[in-house]
Amino acid sequence: MHVLLIEDDDRVAEPLAEGLRRFGFTVEHARTGAEGLAATEPAMVLLDLGLPDMDGIDVCRALRARSAVPIIMITARDSEVDRVLGLELGADDYVSKPFGVRELVARIRAVTRRARTVSPDGGGSGTEAAGGSRADGCGAQRIGPLSIDRRTRQVRVHEIPIALAPKEFDLLVCLAEDPGAVCSRQQILDTVWEPDYFGPTKTLDVHIAALRRKLGDPSWIENIRGIGFRLAPPHGSAVRPEPWHGVR
C-alpha cells in the first residue's frame, strides 16, 4: 500500500516510515502541507496537524474536497476541538503522539477495511466490496474454496470446518490480506508475532507446514525462495485470489 506521510519533523517521520516499510507499506514523505497536496494521490494519508506552512486541518479540508482518500490525523495537540474538527472535515481516524507503529498499522488496516466495504452506491451490505473483494453473506472472506471469518475466527475449506491454533489462524489472516502477493518472512513475523521477536525463524516454517497440512493441499501456500510466502488457491481452482476488504 502506498502511504503518504505528511510530517515536518524528521525525528518522527524517519523511524515511522522505516517501521511502516517493515510491515510492507510503501512510504512517501512530505515535509509541508503544500508538498503533500502536490503529491500523487496515495492509498492512505497520514497527516500531522502541526505543519510549518499551513494548518493540518486546512490540508485535511483541501484533500477531502478533491478526493475520498482515507486520512489518519497524527496530532500532539491536546484539544478535543481539533480532533473533532478534523473528523468532521472528513478525516477517518486520528492517533495522538506518542504512539507505536503497531497501533498505527492496526488503525491503517481498520480504516482501509471500512473504506473498502462501502459499495459504490454508498451501501455496505453487498457481497462485493469496492475494489473487487468477495465476501459471503456473513462477512467471511472467500478465496476459491477457502472461507475465512475473522469475526468468529472460523475457517472452512469446501465448507468443511478446519480447526486452527491461534497462531495458525493469525498466519492465515496475514497471508489472506492480499492473496497472491508475496509476504516477506520479516513482514509475517512482525505481524503474526511481534516486531521485537528474536526467536528462531524456524518457528514460522513449522507453522506454515502445519497450516498447509490442515488446509489439505500444500500448494495453498507457496514458498518464494529467499523472500517469503504467498497464499493462492491450488491449481485448478476456478476462482482467482482477491484481496480482503471486509471487516474483522
Side-chain angles (χ1 to χ4, degrees):
M1 175 189 288
H2 176 203
V3 173
L4 173 61
L5 172 61
I6 307 177
E7 166 65 67
D8 66 303
D9 190 341
D10 287 344
R11 294 171 300 177
V12 174
E14 290 177 2
L16 178 55
E18 179 59 30
L20 290 172
R21 290 185 184 108
R22 289 187 66 193
F23 279 87
F25 295 94
T26 300
V27 182
E28 179 181 357
H29 179 203
R31 291 176 174 81
T32 66
E35 188 179 342
L37 291 172
T40 302
E41 182 172 320
M44 172 72 64
V45 173
L46 305 178
L47 173 61
D48 180 25
L49 294 187
L51 297 171
D53 60 332
M54 57 193 302
D55 194 290
I57 293 293
D58 294 326
V59 177
C60 179
R61 181 186 290 110
L63 286 170
R64 186 54 71 234
R66 74 188 193 195
S67 170
V69 61
I71 301 170
I72 297 179
M73 298 182 299
I74 299 174
T75 178
R77 299 177 183 175
D78 295 328
S79 171
E80 181 181 1
V81 173
D82 285 323
R83 295 194 294 269
V84 171
L85 179 58
L87 294 171
E88 288 182 344
L89 287 173
D92 298 275
D93 201 354
Y94 72 90
V95 291
S96 298
K97 297 178 182 178
F99 55 86
V101 173
R102 286 182 66 85
E103 177 189 357
L104 181 58
V105 168
R107 289 180 180 274
I108 289 173
R109 290 175 174 166
V111 168
T112 300
R113 288 194 297 271
R114 290 200 301 268
R116 289 176 172 171
T117 51
V118 177
S119 63
D121 63 358
S125 60
T127 59
E128 184 167 350
S133 26
R134 298 178 62 250
D136 64 20
C138 297
Q141 180 186 11
R142 286 196 172 274
I143 307 169
L146 172 66
S147 170
I148 306 170
D149 191 326
R150 288 160 168 78
R151 184 177 61 84
T152 62
R153 295 180 70 89
Q154 292 181 338
V155 175
R156 295 173 179 269
V157 177
H158 294 292
E159 303 304 324
I160 299 173
I162 305 297
L164 298 181
K167 277 288 190 250
E168 293 167 356
F169 181 85
D170 293 342
L171 174 57
L172 179 60
V173 166
C174 176
L175 294 171
E177 287 287 347
D178 192 358
V182 179
C183 290
S184 71
R185 298 178 69 91
Q186 189 61 55
Q187 180 183 349
I188 296 171
L189 287 170
D190 286 348
T191 303
V192 179
W193 280 264
E194 297 291 337
D196 56 356
Y197 174 78
F198 295 109
T201 58
K202 183 74 172 175
T203 298
L204 174 56
D205 297 289
V206 170
H207 281 78
I208 288 285
L211 187 54
R212 282 172 169 159
R213 183 175 65 254
K214 291 183 178 182
L215 291 176
D217 188 332
S219 62
W220 268 108
I221 302 175
E222 182 180 359
N223 180 11
I224 309 302
R225 188 175 180 85
I227 302 177
F229 302 91
R230 68 180 173 190
L231 177 72
H235 295 300
S237 173
V239 181
R240 66 180 179 84
E242 298 179 76
W244 172 239
H245 306 315
V247 293
R248 290 187 190 274

